[in-house]
Amino acid sequence: MTGRTAVPEVIWVRPERAGRGPRAAHSRADIAAVAVRIADADGLDAVSMRHVATELGCGTMSLYNYVPRKEDLYELMVDAISGEHEPWEPTGDWRADMLRVAHQTRALMHRHPWLPRLMSPVYGFSPNALRYLEHCLVCLDPLDASYGTKMELIAMLNGVVTTYVGNELATAERTRSLPWSAEQEQAMRIAYLGSRIATGAYPRMAAAFAQDAGPIDLEAVFERALGRVLDAFEPKG
């Protein structure tokens, strides 16, 4: 069993390459780019130190001179994707700007479907993540609230986006694995649900479906979820 070091380490305070010898042959950006490419093509589970080393053309043990742990590799990957956030000049409307941030994050997660699995506060303070957070705080300058409250808003908004996109991706993955179409399954499940409601055992569910039989506008649900988070931070009075 691999032992833990006595002192925790943050990869960003380590030199680009540990140990003696020639100058580093690979940058952290090179390593992250390879790992991201593997994850985009084959999923996060395909990312291993051996696989990344092979793609880089170096030995697995050599890679450990640059990235001591797989968790550090994940952190490099999250930082690389954080760098894809495109900052803009804030409009002065903090709600509109934060909605734009949320939509950009959603699009980014769809470009890199493995990303929701790695969304963690642990990886939230890498160089590109810090630039992202600073941009969000600039967007929130017009909001009369403490910085602690603003950070909470950013975290809650990211949480909503991550959860929503995670569900979208899981649904799409499940649909791809089915031997029938999504429309066929939906029709079957609606028929089953209707038969259960018709028994009279679920009067409130029956009332709910009578009030709004659907279909559900998932884009509208996403917008409402974002809006409700932002509503909670609107100054009162």
Side-chain angles (χ1 to χ4, degrees), residues 9 14 21 37 53 75 98 114 132 135 138 145 156 165 179 187 214:
E9 292 182 315
R14 290 172 55 90
R37 187 167 68 246
E75 188 157 358
M98 292 311 295
W114 48 269
Y132 160 78
H135 175 67
V138 172
M156 289 182 68
V165 174

Side-chain angles (χ1 to χ4, degrees), residues 6-30:
V7 179
E9 292 182 315
V10 177
I11 192 169
W12 309 109
V13 300
R14 290 172 55 90
E16 284 266 335
R17 179 183 182 277
R20 299 175 181 175
R23 191 174 65 178
H26 308 288
S27 69
R28 284 179 180 150
D30 295 333

Side-chain angles (χ1 to χ4, degrees), residues 80-193:
I81 302 308
S82 296
E84 293 184 19
H85 279 282
E86 298 177 2
W88 62 87
E89 188 65 31
T91 65
D93 181 338
W94 66 269
R95 286 184 65 107
D97 285 334
M98 292 311 295
L99 285 172
R100 183 172 175 180
V101 167
H103 281 281
Q104 190 178 91
T105 301
R106 184 187 180 195
L108 188 151
M109 288 182 175
H110 275 284
R111 268 200 316 275
H112 307 285
W114 48 269
L115 184 59
R117 286 179 58 185
L118 293 186
M119 291 301 288
S120 164
V122 173
Y123 302 144
F125 300 101
S126 64
N128 283 323
L130 286 173
R131 282 188 279 271
Y132 160 78
L133 286 171
E134 182 68 17
H135 175 67
C136 289
L137 290 172
V138 172
C139 291
L140 289 170
D141 274 346
L143 176 62
D144 184 15
S146 69
Y147 279 114
T149 298
K150 292 176 181 181
M151 291 293 283
E152 185 178 337
L153 185 160
I154 296 167
M156 289 182 68
L157 206 63
N158 276 334
V160 168
V161 174
T162 301
T163 300
Y164 193 89
V165 174
N167 287 335
E168 286 183 310
L169 295 172
T171 299
E173 179 64 27
R174 182 180 181 279
T175 298
R176 282 193 293 271
S177 70
L178 294 174
W180 48 72
S181 70
E183 293 75 18
Q184 287 174 311
E185 174 159 19
Q186 183 180 27
M188 176 269 295
R189 291 189 176 276
I190 288 174
Y192 167 77
L193 183 59

Side-chain angles (χ1 to χ4, degrees), residues 216-233:
I216 299 172
D217 184 342
L218 295 177
E219 292 299 317
V221 171
F222 181 64
E223 294 296 336
R224 284 196 298 273
L226 297 179
R228 284 165 180 160
V229 170
L230 299 178
D231 287 346
F233 291 89

Side-chain angles (χ1 to χ4, degrees), residues 34-50:
V34 167
V36 166
R37 187 167 68 246
I38 292 170
D40 285 349
D42 300 315
L44 186 62
D45 293 337
V47 177
S48 67
M49 299 295 276
R50 182 186 297 276

